[in-house]
């Protein structure tokens, strides 16, 4: 399984509460003070979290690291990045009904920025290269997602279609399943689900896998059922705010991943892409207003 190491602190926020009690305490300890955790020995972290060194080692391996030393380096790297881009990182995600819109703008902007930064920090570039190369040469690409994830899936399909990639976005689960059954080795299926537990998306990706297609999951949970059926997993990060539950907050992070896929495919099909974009721009050019619209002088009221 590729690319399950999403932004570490983002993963801990999302997956930590669902871990076994002892592991959840370690995740909470790290999140409460990442800077201290980045310099703590395995004994220190075990004592601060009320666990044992063996449990800390198990925690590290659960997250995909060889041992605690690798985990600590990852925490240090991520906290260092956060320091460099630390503008309003302590802003709360709470929004009260009477908060001024200027304050709400700050909360939403900070939350989305942090989610995008955490997603970018955890992206597996080699996995992205693999997916882009497969899409560039695929005979058929199927993209599927429901709800908010469906919005992101539709956007990816639109972009790829415009550069002559044979791509389809299915909004109906039965249609998605029947078309997944027609995929072959060399084709690609991409499933999006914030939770990684959307039954229809899991079934569609599993069907595609049964027929030899490369399967790609985009989810906030790297150890979810959707991730289990995928060849490649891209883990997104979310930062909730009041009125914006996780599934809605995940959209910007999903779009980052999909935008990178699109650009990477366009790089590999440069001549074809350049020609396609030129043709499509020209096709709709007549429907755009000129840059300078002649001004209309308003007549005096008595002459109207």
């Amino acid at each position: 399984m590729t690319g399950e190491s999403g932004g570490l602190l983002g993963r801990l926020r999302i997956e930590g509460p669902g871990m076994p009690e002892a592991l959840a305490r370690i995740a909470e300890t790290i999140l409460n003070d990442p800077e201290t955790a980045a310099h703590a020995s395995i004994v220190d972290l075990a004592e601060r979290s009320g666990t044992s060194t063996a449990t800390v080692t198990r925690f590290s391996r659960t997250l995909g690291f060889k041992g605690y030393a690798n985990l600590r380096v990852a925490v240090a790297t991520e906290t260092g990045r956060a320091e460099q881009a630390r503008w309003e990182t302590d802003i709360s995600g709470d929004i009260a009904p009477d908060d001024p819109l200027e304050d709400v703008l700050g909360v939403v902007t900070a939350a989305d920025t942090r989610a995008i930064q955490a997603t970018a920090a955890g992206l597996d570039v080699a996995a992205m290269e693999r997916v882009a190369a497969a899409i560039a040469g695929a005979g058929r690409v199927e993209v599927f997602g429901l709800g908010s994830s469906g919005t992101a899936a539709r956007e990816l399909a639109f972009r790829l279609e415009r550069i002559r990639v044979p791509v389809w976005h299915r909004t109906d689960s039965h249609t998605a399943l029947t078309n997944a059954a027609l995929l072959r080795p060399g084709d690609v299926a991409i499933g999006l689900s914030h939770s990684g537990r959307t039954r229809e998306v899991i079934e569609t990706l599993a069907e595609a896998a049964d027929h030899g297609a490369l399967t790609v999951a985009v989810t906030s949970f790297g150890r979810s059922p959707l991730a289990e059926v995928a060849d490649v997993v891209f883990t997104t990060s979310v930062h909730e705010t009041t009125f914006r539950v996780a599934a809605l907050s995940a959209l910007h992070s999903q779009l980052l991943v999909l935008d990178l896929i699109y650009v990477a495919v366009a790089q590999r099909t440069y001549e074809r892409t350049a020609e396609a974009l030129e043709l499509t721009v020209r096709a709709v050019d007549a429907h755009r207003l000129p840059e300078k619209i002649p001004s209309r002088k308003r007549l005096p009221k008595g002459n109207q």
Side-chain angles (χ1 to χ4, degrees):
M1 202 72 63
T2 309
E4 289 191 8
S5 62
L8 178 59
L9 299 182
R11 283 189 65 193
L12 294 184
R13 290 188 193 95
I14 294 169
E15 299 182 23
M19 290 180 172
E21 183 180 354
L23 303 189
R25 288 205 303 273
I26 297 172
E28 184 179 5
T29 301
I30 294 173
L31 289 172
N32 285 341
D33 192 350
E35 288 80 5
T36 299
H39 300 92
S41 69
I42 189 170
V43 175
D44 291 336
L45 183 59
E47 290 179 351
R48 290 177 58 230
S49 59
T51 60
S52 65
T53 55
T55 304
V56 174
T57 299
R58 181 159 60 94
F59 174 81
S60 303
R61 291 174 179 169
T62 297
L63 292 171
F65 296 98
K66 291 182 179 179
Y68 175 64
N70 302 93
L71 172 68
R72 190 171 64 176
V73 168
V75 175
T77 301
E78 199 160 317
T79 53
R81 249 189 229 108
E83 285 295 332
Q84 292 177 2
R86 198 174 192 76
W87 63 281
E88 297 188 78
T89 51
D90 59 341
I91 193 166
S92 168
D94 294 333
I95 299 172
D98 56 350
D99 279 350
L101 197 54
E102 291 82 358
D103 293 349
V104 174
L105 173 62
V107 171
V108 173
T109 301
D112 289 343
T113 300
R114 283 182 290 177
I116 289 172
Q117 289 173 338
T119 300
L123 275 179
D124 186 331
V125 177
M128 185 65 68
E129 297 272 5
R130 177 187 178 190
V131 171
I135 292 175
R140 189 183 185 105
V141 178
E142 292 281 344
V143 187
F144 187 55
L146 296 174
S148 180
S149 294
T151 301
R154 188 161 51 249
E155 178 65 21
L156 176 63
F158 168 75
R159 295 188 187 194
L160 292 177
E161 185 178 38
R162 192 165 177 178
I163 59 173
R164 289 185 167 148
V165 172
V167 59
W168 287 266
H169 166 243
R170 314 292 180 175
T171 57
D172 175 77
S173 58
H174 287 192
T175 305
L177 275 171
T178 54
N179 282 278
L182 297 176
L183 295 176
R184 299 172 179 175
D187 293 333
V188 180
I190 303 174
L192 290 88
S193 169
H194 158 67
S195 67
R197 296 183 178 277
T198 306
R199 184 184 301 275
E200 295 89 342
V201 181
I202 297 168
E203 290 176 348
T204 299
L205 224 59
E207 184 68 32
D210 286 345
H211 297 278
L214 176 70
T215 53
V216 182
V218 181
T219 176
S220 298
F221 293 83
R223 300 176 66 82
S224 62
L226 179 63
E228 291 298 320
V229 301
D231 298 309
V232 179
V233 182
F234 295 121
T235 309
T236 52
S237 178
V238 298
H239 285 270
E240 291 182 312
T241 64
T242 309
F243 310 123
R244 299 167 77 234
V245 295
L248 297 177
S249 301
L251 180 59
H252 293 286
S253 298
Q254 289 175 340
L255 288 174
L256 171 67
V257 173
L258 301 183
D259 198 21
L260 191 56
I261 290 175
Y262 161 74
V263 172
V265 172
Q267 286 181 304
R268 283 157 182 74
T269 58
Y270 180 80
E271 291 185 5
R272 183 181 81 189
T273 292
E275 180 193 17
L277 291 177
E278 182 180 349
L279 289 172
T280 54
V281 168
R282 192 185 308 159
V284 298
D285 194 54
H287 293 268
R288 293 194 174 100
L289 293 174
E291 290 185 12
K292 291 185 178 180
I293 303 174
S295 61
R296 295 174 56 190
K297 293 183 179 180
R298 301 186 65 178
L299 296 174
K301 287 186 178 181
N303 296 333
Q304 289 181 358

